[in-house]
Amino acid sequence: VAVVDDDDVALTEGDVVHLEAGLEVGPGAGAEPEGRAGAHGAAAQGRTHLLVVSGLAGEPAYAERFHAWATALLDAARRSGVAPEDATYLAEDPARDPARIAGRATRGAVDSALAALARRAGPDDRVLVVLIGHGSGQPGEARLALPGPDLTA
């Protein structure tokens, strides 16, 4: 599970992020990291499944940033060979980009998306879950702010 929070990571133009499955985000993405095969490379086995959850933004600037990060991840996944049906994007406001956002990022929708991933993914598949947004926590409990009840870990 990768957690992207505005306080921890700031993706800006020119940044390239290498994810565990060989996916890259940012300009210049697409070249394989040295010594690693991507989602469609010779060393890859099985399929790669991606779930991107963008939580409550709180203000328009964060909504823009969260959506840009999420769509950059989706684009990188597709360039790396992830099939469109294996990539799901849930967000605070699905009307923002209905062609890409599969539904509202509620706790129930996240639970359903994870259950669907569990049914589809095979033993050799990779499952990437990316959480983007604001969170909070107490000792022993982390939370991602979502519409309705928060997602807890």
Side-chain angles (χ1 to χ4, degrees):
V1 174
V3 178
V4 179
D5 184 287
D6 187 56
D7 296 328
D8 299 326
V9 177
L11 294 178
T12 59
E13 189 172 335
D15 288 344
V16 175
V17 177
H18 301 274
L19 300 175
E20 189 59 35
L23 306 179
E24 297 179 13
V25 177
E32 295 295 338
E34 195 171 314
R36 177 181 290 182
H40 61 284
Q45 294 181 357
R47 294 164 62 164
T48 298
H49 305 270
L50 173 64
L51 172 61
V52 179
V53 179
S54 179
L56 292 174
E59 60 184 69
Y62 288 115
E64 288 293 326
R65 187 175 302 162
F66 294 172
H67 182 65
W69 290 344
T71 56
L73 286 166
L74 291 170
D75 292 344
R78 293 201 176 118
R79 282 192 310 270
S80 297
V82 176
E85 64 272 14
D86 290 334
T88 303
Y89 173 22
L90 301 175
E92 178 181 3
D93 181 13
R96 168 186 209 87
D97 190 349
R100 297 177 131 194
I101 301 172
R104 191 154 193 223
T106 63
R107 185 174 175 172
V110 172
D111 288 345
S112 293
L114 289 170
L117 278 173
R119 287 190 301 273
R120 284 195 324 260
D124 293 329
D125 290 356
R126 289 170 280 336
V127 175
L128 304 172
V129 178
V130 180
L131 307 174
I132 302 171
H134 301 288
S136 63
Q138 306 175 37
E141 181 179 79
R143 294 178 174 270
L144 176 68
L146 297 177
D150 290 342
L151 188 62
T152 58

